[in-house]
Amino acid sequence: MRAIVAEGPGGPDVLRVVETDRPEPGPTEILVRVHAAGVNPVDWKTRARGFGVDGAEAPFIPGYDVSGVVEAVGAGVTLFRPGDAVYGMPRFPHFAGAYADYVTAPSRHFAHRPAGLDHVQAAALPLAALTAWQALVDTADVQPGERVLVHAAAGGVGHLAVQIAKARGAHVIGTAREAKHAFLRELGADETIDYTRQDFAEVLRDTGADVVLETIGGPQTARSLSVLRPGGRLVSIVPPDDAFPAAAEAARAEGKQAGFVMVEPDRAALLEIAKLVEDGRLRVRVDTTLPLEKAAEAHALGETDRTTGKIVLTVVD
């Protein structure tokens, strides 16, 4: 099969198209013919440093987001059969090897592809939507009427987080460049803040927020904590820096909460996300599609940090 391999740490040019053996599904696993693979910031960050979230070193096949068709099932699998269209984020934080013709993974890391979505759209969903879901629903437990601030709201995670928060009945504030504000309003954002011209902490000084989804990290985290109302919750999806523990402790002293969440495979959440899609309450924005062999170009584009929504690699035409 074809696969994209990151040969070592470095820029997009370390990505190479290679021929390798097709994997075989073990017990409780399925073999999926990949039709499309989502591209996420974690992909180019692991490529740049030459090792994965779990510490696995290059060479490796990048990628976590998969949409495809079940080719074969291992012993004990009852959820799927060959021919089923599925989507998922298998194995994270271990590499799924999504930039390839085939992947194998535990069957319960997948769900049936949402009705109405093609493989490109479905491949754009899993990691970003699961991140938003696990942060806002499982961790922050957003309630109707609460004010939710989403940073980088037009990005891959952000634009889905806006919709998930709205589906929970929240009042949503999104930060993004002004050119993306119309897009955020289409998604349901109630307020928009141009972070290039406005200080979000100043804008929200009087009204505050009950929940903040922190997608930037660094010094911004402490400023995000400052806008939380009493009892408010900040959930960061960015690995905390050295200053985070002290900031979190200070927040707790003020009756606030702050924590870091790392996304994980979650079939139950994939099923809930599929329901939102099928009910017309969640749509994914695909900014760019490129063929598998142009993975390096996809990474270079992603690293500009100027895309709206997701980048997807097409594996089957």
Side-chain angles (χ1 to χ4, degrees), residues 244-264:
F244 185 80
E249 185 61 32
R252 283 191 288 271
E254 297 175 358
K256 306 172 184 179
Q257 301 174 44
F260 163 66
V261 62
M262 179 182 290
V263 69
E264 58 186 299

Side-chain angles (χ1 to χ4, degrees), residues 4 31 71 86 107 132 150 192 216 288:
I4 301 295
L31 172 68
E71 187 92 355
V86 296
S107 66
V150 178
T192 53
I216 308 298
T288 304

Side-chain angles (χ1 to χ4, degrees), residues 108-278:
R108 292 180 183 272
H109 289 186
F110 292 92
H112 286 96
R113 189 183 69 191
L117 294 191
D118 60 24
H119 284 295
V120 167
Q121 295 166 318
L125 268 176
L127 189 147
L130 286 174
T131 299
W133 183 276
Q134 291 170 10
L136 295 177
V137 179
D138 295 341
T139 304
D141 190 23
V142 170
Q143 296 296 307
E146 289 192 314
R147 293 173 58 83
V148 176
L149 171 63
V150 178
H151 286 298
V157 172
H159 84 290
L160 298 170
V162 167
Q163 297 172 79
I164 288 171
K166 286 301 296 182
R168 300 278 288 184
H171 177 99
V172 181
I173 309 113
T175 68
R177 292 176 178 269
E178 186 176 6
K180 299 180 179 181
H181 286 188
F183 170 62
L184 293 182
R185 288 191 289 270
E186 289 176 10
L187 298 181
D190 300 286
E191 299 178 46
T192 53
I193 298 172
D194 181 357
Y195 66 87
T196 68
R197 300 179 181 179
Q198 300 170 285
D199 180 347
F200 74 89
E202 182 63 25
V203 173
L204 300 177
R205 181 177 58 180
D206 295 329
T207 55
D210 299 291
V211 175
V212 176
L213 179 60
E214 178 55 77
T215 62
I216 308 298
Q220 179 169 290
T221 301
R223 298 178 62 247
S224 293
L225 283 168
S226 74
V227 306
L228 280 181
R229 294 170 163 180
R233 294 90 72 200
L234 178 145
V235 183
S236 176
I237 63 170
V238 183
D241 60 16
D242 293 341
F244 185 80
E249 185 61 32
R252 283 191 288 271
E254 297 175 358
K256 306 172 184 179
Q257 301 174 44
F260 163 66
V261 62
M262 179 182 290
V263 69
E264 58 186 299
D266 188 345
R267 173 175 165 77
L270 286 174
L271 293 172
E272 293 297 327
I273 289 162
K275 287 179 185 177
L276 289 180
V277 171
E278 292 164 358

